[in-house]
Every structure is written in C-alpha cells, then in structure tokens.
Amino acid sequence: MRYPFDWGFIPSTLAPDGDPLDALVFWDQSTYPGVVLPCRALGVLKVDQKKKRGGGRERNDRLLVVPIIAARAENLNSIKDLSRREREELEHFFTAAVAFADKDVRILGWEGPESAERMIQETAAEYEKKAARRK
C-alpha cells in the first residue's frame, strides 16, 4: 500500500492524540521529507480511534490540504469540490492504512475548510500552551 498523496503534518500544532495535526497534500506532485509547503485547507476528515496508551478512544483527525502554488487546484475551495468517489477513496485509504495496527478506526465524516482552519488554530494554541509550560 502506498500513500495516494504526500503525507505530513502542520508544524507547531498539538492534536488531541498528542502528535502534530496530520495533513494529506492533495495534488499531483511529490516532494521529499522535510519540505515545508504552504497550503490551504480543503477540509478535515474526522476520525476516532483507540488511544495509543490506556483505554478508551481519541480523535485523530486528518486535514486535506492543497498547496497554494498548485495551479491545477485553483478551483478546489472545499472538500465538497471533490467527487463523492474521491472522498470515499480517501476514507478507505485511511481505514486500510491502519488495518493491522489495532486502532479500530472509525470515520466520523467530513467537514469543510472553516472547520479545518478552526482546528489548526485550536491545535496551534494547544502547542503554545504546552511550550509555555516547559519554559
């Protein structure tokens, strides 16, 4: 199995699972590790899974972003601009990618760019709070 697009994270964010906010870069080019790519959010796939440590469940949402420089994607403004088939393929990929990891992933649905931007702001604030406590 391979990732259908570049996979990364939003720097200086802290998601509920304790990691930076996950992001899938929706475009037809590939980059290499360590690249910081300015993007805009198309939406967020809300995901629930088993916690890494202890019992219970946690959110592990994934952003779908597109690079600002992606000329072919200038008509994409929201997750709703993708076909139902494309959204379903992404959902299937995220479920299949962890099938053997005992995460019991549950897809909760898609939300648009406003929710994604709000999530970025909230997880950036959480990162800042944690950084301030370390000082």
Side-chain angles (χ1 to χ4, degrees), residues 47-49 57 62 94-95 98 103-107:
V47 176
D48 179 71
Q49 68 184 32
R57 302 190 66 77
R62 277 92 168 172
F94 284 121
T95 302
V98 297
K103 292 188 176 186
D104 186 30
V105 169
R106 296 178 189 159
I107 303 297

Side-chain angles (χ1 to χ4, degrees), residues 100-132:
F100 298 110
D102 191 34
K103 292 188 176 186
D104 186 30
V105 169
R106 296 178 189 159
I107 303 297
L108 303 175
W110 290 96
E111 291 189 2
E114 300 82 12
S115 292
E117 291 294 336
R118 190 169 43 254
M119 186 176 292
I120 293 167
Q121 296 301 321
E122 290 168 359
T123 57
E126 193 61 36
Y127 177 87
E128 289 298 322
K129 281 195 271 186
K130 187 173 182 180

Side-chain angles (χ1 to χ4, degrees), residues 17-96:
D17 68 344
D19 296 331
L21 195 55
D22 296 321
L24 186 68
V25 183
F26 189 82
W27 73 328
D28 54 0
Q29 300 294 317
S30 60
T31 61
Y32 49 91
V35 170
V36 176
L37 189 61
C39 293
R40 58 187 170 79
L42 295 178
V44 59
L45 180 61
K46 299 185 316 182
V47 176
D48 179 71
Q49 68 184 32
K50 281 185 181 177
K51 281 188 174 184
K52 293 179 200 170
R53 296 167 200 85
R57 302 190 66 77
E58 66 187 352
R59 292 289 292 274
N60 191 7
D61 300 334
R62 277 92 168 172
L63 292 179
L64 184 65
V65 300
V66 64
I68 293 170
I69 61 170
R72 288 185 180 167
E74 65 186 19
N75 64 320
L76 297 176
N77 297 304
S78 169
I79 191 66
K80 293 177 184 175
D81 294 331
L82 272 60
S83 70
R84 187 187 74 187
R85 169 75 188 239
E86 288 171 307
R87 292 190 305 267
E88 288 174 352
E89 286 177 3
L90 291 170
E91 291 171 19
H92 180 75
F93 166 74
F94 284 121
T95 302

